[in-house]
Amino acid sequence: MTRDAERDDDALRQFVETLALGLADMGWQRMAARVFAALMVTDSGRMTAGELAAMLSVSPAAISGAVRYLDQVGLISKERVPGERRDSYRVLDDMWYASFLKQDRLLKLWGETADEGIAVLGEHTPAGKRLAEMRDFFQFFAKEMPLLFERWHARRRDTG
Amino acid sequence: MTRDAERDDDALRQFVETLALGLADMGWQRMAARVFAALMVTDSGRMTAGELAAMLSVSPAAISGAVRYLDQVGLISKERVPGERRDSYRVLDDMWYASFLKQDRLLKLWGETADEGIAVLGEHTPAGKRLAEMRDFFQFFAKEMPLLFERWHARRRDTG
DNA sequence: CACTCATTTCACAAACTTGTGAAGACAATA
DNA sequence: TATTGTCTTCACAAGTTTGTGAAATGAGTG
């Protein structure tokens, strides 16, 4: 019994690291990725900073930085139960939505960068045209991504 | 005349750095980003390793690593004109396609990671269900991305 | 208003990345 | 096969990121 529980616990921690590694490869800060992964595999979807520090074997200071970042980008929320001294952190249901809104903003930024380049190169040069194509590409995706996300939401309403 | 040419040259180099910085923020290796940006703003779309090293003021060794990476991920191709000792590197026209195929592969990988987690947590636990939703999200996008890209291609055929 | 527990901030240390120089490998000519 | 120009590899140094410990801050309770 104890053996099984321990084995499960190990498997769980290992999966947290796997998931976090994947997120880190996507460009997330490592600690933020580990915290997010830890919250994802919790049934309640909530943990205190202390619990997170214990689960991940890191100092409270490291947790502090990670949760601030995750909160800023809208992937988790900070909550304090009245009459508790400790903050809880919770994974948000619409976390993917937040992450895609962010991408949308980035795509727009790329369009602007391309425009800068076109101004320097001249829009009728081959290089200028190449950048114009890049700009169009990003604009296209900036427009389509939110629509795509809408469809995902709609589908989830129907299925789940 | 010389003044203007110099000024343009400066503006160009500065834009190369701007573009590279953006790519680096997206998670590209810094040197790879600079090389790619340099090729993007060239009318011919082609440069030799030596030219790249000179333009970016870095050692040939740095170029070597960067072009190998860019070649691997399919964003540039290496070419050698017969009777030349130098390799040329060229930005590919379908580079965005390559980059999106790569993303597609990544999305599938995410689905598999989620499945691992579901196996550990059990699919009927709240955490298991949360991961299942993550998997569905990635699967949905893995399926839709190529279709979206098709539409981009079609649009480009019509417009350009 | 003092006490206690939890979180945050800051300076520093450890670990990792990234580019360099120098030596080696490769390919085209003669 | 020797020569020359180009590219690659490798060990190392510089720079950056990342997490820690200790002190400071903030919030709830008597």
Side-chain angles (χ1 to χ4, degrees):
Chain A
M1 191 64 178
T2 312
R3 284 273 298 288
D4 282 353
E6 272 167 22
R7 201 151 53 213
D8 281 5
D9 205 53
D10 278 358
L12 189 59
R13 275 165 198 252
Q14 199 170 333
F15 175 67
V16 166
E17 294 307 322
T18 302
L19 186 53
L21 199 63
L23 291 167
D25 280 348
M26 278 176 93
W28 289 38
Q29 304 173 188
R30 180 149 41 130
M31 206 58 211
R34 295 182 72 206
V35 165
F36 186 77
L39 287 170
M40 278 289 283
V41 302
T42 306
D43 278 334
S44 66
R46 288 177 60 209
M47 290 179 101
T48 66
E51 287 167 344
L52 284 165
M55 173 155 186
L56 300 173
S57 307
V58 292
S59 73
I63 299 294
S64 177
V67 295
R68 178 161 28 123
Y69 170 76
L70 289 169
D71 197 7
Q72 264 176 12
V73 302
L75 286 166
I76 67 174
S77 70
K78 189 181 201 166
E79 311 183 331
R80 174 163 290 184
V81 178
E84 272 279 325
R85 287 186 191 181
R86 303 169 304 175
D87 293 326
S88 279
Y89 299 95
R90 168 191 291 283
V91 285
L92 298 173
D93 288 339
D94 55 359
M95 57 193 173
W96 301 115
Y97 184 61
S99 116
F100 261 71
L101 280 186
K102 199 178 138 223
Q103 187 150 0
D104 177 52
R105 194 178 55 72
L106 273 177
L107 286 168
K108 275 180 188 139
L109 223 139
W110 271 103
E112 287 161 28
T113 300
D115 278 333
E116 260 184 65
I118 294 168
V120 172
L121 293 161
E123 67 181 312
H124 298 302
T125 62
K129 285 178 190 163
R130 190 182 301 120
L131 281 177
E133 185 170 316
M134 172 176 130
R135 180 197 51 200
D136 292 347
F137 177 83
F138 280 120
Q139 272 179 359
F140 176 78
F141 275 89
K143 209 175 60 190
E144 294 291 333
M145 284 305 230
L147 300 178
L148 197 56
F149 192 80
E150 269 310 307
R151 286 209 280 140
W152 157 251
H153 253 337
R155 218 186 81 139
R156 198 174 62 150
R157 270 197 303 275
D158 299 345
T159 314
Chain B
M1 191 65 177
T2 312
R3 285 271 300 288
D4 282 353
E6 271 167 23
R7 201 152 52 212
D8 282 4
D9 206 52
D10 278 357
L12 190 59
R13 276 165 198 253
Q14 199 170 334
F15 175 67
V16 166
E17 295 307 321
T18 302
L19 187 52
L21 199 64
L23 290 168
D25 280 349
M26 277 177 93
W28 289 37
Q29 304 174 188
R30 177 148 45 128
M31 206 59 210
R34 295 183 72 206
V35 165
F36 186 78
L39 287 169
M40 279 288 283
V41 301
T42 306
D43 277 336
S44 66
R46 287 177 60 208
M47 290 179 100
T48 66
E51 287 168 343
L52 284 165
M55 172 155 187
L56 300 173
S57 309
V58 293
S59 72
I63 300 294
S64 177
V67 294
R68 180 163 25 127
Y69 171 75
L70 289 170
D71 196 8
Q72 264 176 12
V73 302
L75 286 167
I76 68 174
S77 69
K78 189 180 200 167
E79 311 183 331
R80 174 164 289 184
V81 178
E84 273 278 325
R85 287 185 191 182
R86 301 170 306 175
D87 293 326
S88 278
Y89 299 94
R90 169 189 290 283
V91 285
L92 299 172
D93 287 340
D94 55 359
M95 57 191 173
W96 301 115
Y97 184 61
S99 115
F100 261 71
L101 280 186
K102 198 177 137 227
Q103 187 150 0
D104 178 51
R105 194 177 56 72
L106 273 177
L107 287 168
K108 276 181 187 136
L109 224 140
W110 271 102
E112 287 161 27
T113 300
D115 277 334
E116 259 183 66
I118 294 169
V120 173
L121 293 161
E123 67 181 309
H124 299 302
T125 62
K129 284 178 191 162
R130 191 182 299 120
L131 282 177
E133 185 170 316
M134 171 176 131
R135 181 196 52 200
D136 292 347
F137 177 83
F138 280 120
Q139 273 179 358
F140 176 78
F141 275 89
K143 209 174 61 189
E144 294 291 333
M145 285 305 229
L147 300 177
L148 198 56
F149 192 80
E150 269 310 306
R151 286 209 280 142
W152 158 252
H153 252 336
R155 220 186 81 139
R156 198 174 63 151
R157 271 197 303 275
D158 299 345
T159 314

